[in-house]
Amino acid sequence: MSSIESVLKETRVFAPHDAFKQAATVSGIESYNALCQAAEQDYNGFWAQLAQSEINWHTPFSQTLDESQAPFYRWFADGTLNASYNCIDRHLATRGNKIALIFEADDGIVTNLTYKALHQRVCRFANALKKQGVGLGDRVIIYLPMSIEAIVAMQACARIGAIHSVVFGGFSAKSLHERIVDVGAKLVITADEGVRGGKSVSLKSAVDEALQMAECEAVEQVIVYQRTGGKIAWNANKDHWWHELEAAESDYCEPTWVNAEHPLFILYTSGSTGTPKGVQHSTGGYLLGAIMSMKWVFDHKATDIFWCTADVGWITGHSYVAYGPLALGGTQVVFEGVPTWPDAGRFWQMIERHKVSIFYTAPTAIRSLIKLGGDLPKQYDLSSLRLLGTVGEPINPEAWMWYHKVVGKERCPIADTWWQTETGSHMIAPLPGAIAAKPGSCTRPLPGIMVDIVHEDGSPVTDTGGGLLVVKKPWPSMIRNIWNNPERFKKAYFPEELNGYYLAGDSAHRDDDGYFWIMGRIDDVLNVSGHRLGTMEIESALVANPLVAEAAIVGKPHDIKGESIVAYVVLKGQRLEGEEAKLVAAQLRDWVGKEIGPIAKPDEIRFGENLPKTRSGKIMRRLLRSLAKGEEITSDISTLDNPAILEQLKQPAA
């Protein structure tokens, strides 16, 4: 395989401020290097010591890593614990009256919940689940809006050893049905409706529709959280009101102690074949990954007000809402709504209102907020912030700089985190008191995470060229299996030609300082006239233009060049059409030529008011590739937040 060419040149470096560095959990590059060296010298001992010190075990483990059935690795397998106990019970004696959750509803109403109150609610709901026949190993689908109830439901399942599978509330009945069937769910937890951006979103009706489809006979009960009081259909033989079940239960439920390899949850992620993959995570190893990344990457302190804006329907909402912050006894903000309602100042208003100190959001949200009001943060008091984070995709350098200057006031480190649903927790990210940041780079691997860049035959890429991003050794929070599909698991993540390495599916390169730069998904790599180019770098060049708010790059077949470059561009101003659009498209082509080189100039530029995104903010590049090829879109687009945008993007400006 020829290397993937790195065309993005970024030279700005931002070292940690002395005051932050001195107070950091990992202070200075020497401390980081010492942790990495400890892991290299005694890998099992490194993780064993952390697991012993950071987790409350019911039965201590005696074996750290079992590689006998690789790639089905097992960590701490003979130890027993309970995730809910580690997230709630162990804090009651010292932090029982501390606020665990600050919930802000779509309409701005705020509800605070202490650890003691959260414990009571989780116990009551866990007892209610047991009354409905749910027990150890049973699968429960959670299809709820972002809410206290969603976290309670997840924790209650963990408390009794049931395996939860959260489905994002924006998914269609068809998508919900696929997950119910694949996981073999016994019970579904939902709400009458959700509320987002001032509008009610039907949920119970989607559950009803899904359960009417074939192969859903295993679902015995449906528990409904009454969020709005909206009119819904009711099946007296199957449906139960959450509040009625909870009211009848006691305030205590004994935790079910499970072995460390017991599945905590199954979370579905899209597969290249279109069939969702049920990513299966363990209890012990997953919890350790969430805890250590909270400490190392977010430098979490007992006094912090932490806010991760992700929905619990995604892995980010699992690790950095439902489990990680609670395992540390932290206080966090949970938000029901969207960043642009009632206006684009909502995030900044909430940071000011709740005195948020750690703010973690997606580059997509950042770029959208730049477009809708780049100066808006200046109208709010953001002085409580001490650390910023990004998640979900590489952040373009110019968006990074805006985040740094306008939101962080040039004093807050930015944790640009690379990880996946499958990895469970952060893998590559700057430890903010130790590692200097470079805009657009996720910097260096966390201690104990052995990452490398290789060619398709598994041989290492020895220069600064790009290649396949791999993880060379198993780590505690890693995926354990694809639910009911071990062969797909091995083929997707541990292909034979990579000598046992975990294949991340991303392309990356490493610079002279050992920093990692994510270049895009492997299937997004373009082959233009024999040059293999990563899409992210061309997107970053476009976003660096002062006219551009957001960009996405895809390839389409070309008779001469192999592939031609198609750019979808969202401008900071109004969408352009006609001659004006052609003029600006020509300017942007020349801009990319100067920033990167003529080889990276887009052959087509298409302007839209936005890009096709899921409700979590993920750009649907599969749809953009279909549009570029002129194909009719026949796949399910019910998860799109803005399906009407597809029509705008069909025709090039020039």
Side-chain angles (χ1 to χ4, degrees), residues 245-259:
L245 293 179
E246 189 180 66
E249 297 301 333
S250 70
D251 288 349
Y252 182 73
C253 174
E254 179 69 21
T256 298
W257 307 106
V258 299
N259 73 63

Side-chain angles (χ1 to χ4, degrees), residues 185-246:
K186 186 173 186 176
L187 182 142
V188 176
I189 305 168
T190 189
D192 50 2
E193 296 175 315
V195 182
R196 288 173 61 86
K199 299 176 182 177
S200 296
V201 181
S202 180
L203 294 174
K204 175 64 162 56
S205 62
V207 173
D208 292 341
E209 184 180 344
L211 295 184
Q212 288 169 7
M213 300 178 190
E215 300 181 89
C216 274
E217 296 79 9
V219 176
E220 299 171 359
Q221 311 290 334
V222 177
I223 298 177
V224 186
Y225 159 51
Q226 191 173 40
R227 169 61 183 90
T228 66
K231 187 177 181 181
I232 58 173
W234 196 258
N235 180 342
N237 295 321
K238 185 172 281 192
D239 298 340
H240 307 271
W241 285 115
W242 175 310
H243 59 275
E244 292 179 355
L245 293 179
E246 189 180 66

Side-chain angles (χ1 to χ4, degrees), residues 106-181:
D106 189 71
D107 61 6
I109 294 175
V110 176
T111 303
N112 292 332
L113 206 67
T114 65
Y115 273 91
K116 182 179 179 181
L118 178 61
H119 180 257
Q120 291 175 343
R121 289 213 57 190
V122 168
C123 284
R124 286 177 184 169
F125 195 65
N127 286 328
L129 289 175
K130 290 202 289 188
K131 284 273 183 70
Q132 301 307 312
V134 178
L136 182 67
D138 287 333
R139 276 82 64 203
V140 174
I141 289 280
I142 299 173
Y143 185 65
L144 285 168
M146 191 61 179
S147 57
I148 288 173
E149 284 69 22
I151 296 169
V152 167
M154 295 166 77
Q155 288 283 342
C157 287
R159 194 166 194 86
I160 63 175
I163 305 167
H164 64 66
S165 185
V166 183
V167 179
F168 176 58
F171 277 160
S172 66
K174 179 177 179 293
S175 297
L176 178 61
H177 170 261
E178 289 174 346
R179 289 153 174 78
I180 290 172
V181 171

Side-chain angles (χ1 to χ4, degrees), residues 380-591:
Y380 299 89
D381 179 5
L382 306 183
S383 61
S384 61
L385 289 171
R386 70 178 193 89
L387 189 145
L388 304 172
T390 70
V391 59
E393 59 182 306
I395 183 170
N396 311 103
E398 292 312 308
W400 193 102
M401 289 302 301
W402 178 86
Y403 201 30
H404 172 65
K405 290 179 178 178
V406 179
V407 180
K409 310 298 183 188
E410 300 188 39
R411 58 180 177 75
C412 297
I414 296 178
D416 176 0
T417 61
W418 178 84
W419 62 297
Q420 303 171 310
T421 302
E422 293 88 345
T423 71
S425 58
H426 300 151
M427 300 292 280
I428 313 175
L431 274 58
I435 298 175
K438 296 183 182 183
S441 170
C442 50
T443 71
R444 296 187 179 186
L446 270 60
I449 303 299
M450 308 303 184
V451 179
D452 204 354
I453 298 170
V454 301
H455 295 292
E456 286 178 341
D457 62 0
S459 61
V461 173
T462 55
D463 55 20
T464 57
L468 308 180
L469 185 64
V470 298
V471 187
K472 298 168 72 173
K473 298 191 75 162
W475 65 101
S477 66
M478 68 188 296
I479 178 177
R480 293 306 197 261
N481 207 340
I482 293 176
W483 183 255
N484 281 336
N485 204 333
E487 288 305 313
R488 188 180 184 188
F489 168 75
K490 289 190 288 186
K491 184 177 179 181
Y493 301 114
F494 294 93
E496 291 182 8
E497 60 272 18
L498 291 187
N499 308 315
Y501 294 168
Y502 168 86
L503 176 64
D506 281 330
S507 58
H509 76 96
R510 184 169 36 205
D511 67 20
D512 291 331
D513 295 323
Y515 279 41
F516 285 79
W517 299 76
I518 305 301
M519 301 168 69
R521 297 294 295 168
I522 292 169
D523 54 9
D524 287 339
V525 172
L526 307 177
N527 197 332
V528 181
S529 300
H531 297 267
R532 290 169 58 83
L533 305 175
T535 56
M536 182 267 176
E537 299 185 319
I538 306 173
E539 291 168 5
S540 291
L542 281 166
V543 173
N545 186 286
L547 296 176
V548 177
E550 195 164 19
I553 297 292
V554 300
K556 76 172 186 178
H558 189 279
D559 290 340
I560 298 172
K561 295 193 292 184
E563 278 189 291
S564 61
I565 300 171
V566 181
Y568 296 89
V569 172
V570 179
L571 298 174
K572 290 178 180 174
Q574 297 295 314
R575 175 176 177 258
L576 301 179
E577 297 183 273
E579 291 303 315
E580 195 175 7
K582 291 180 181 179
L583 181 63
V584 172
Q587 292 174 359
L588 293 179
R589 271 200 202 91
D590 291 341
W591 172 274

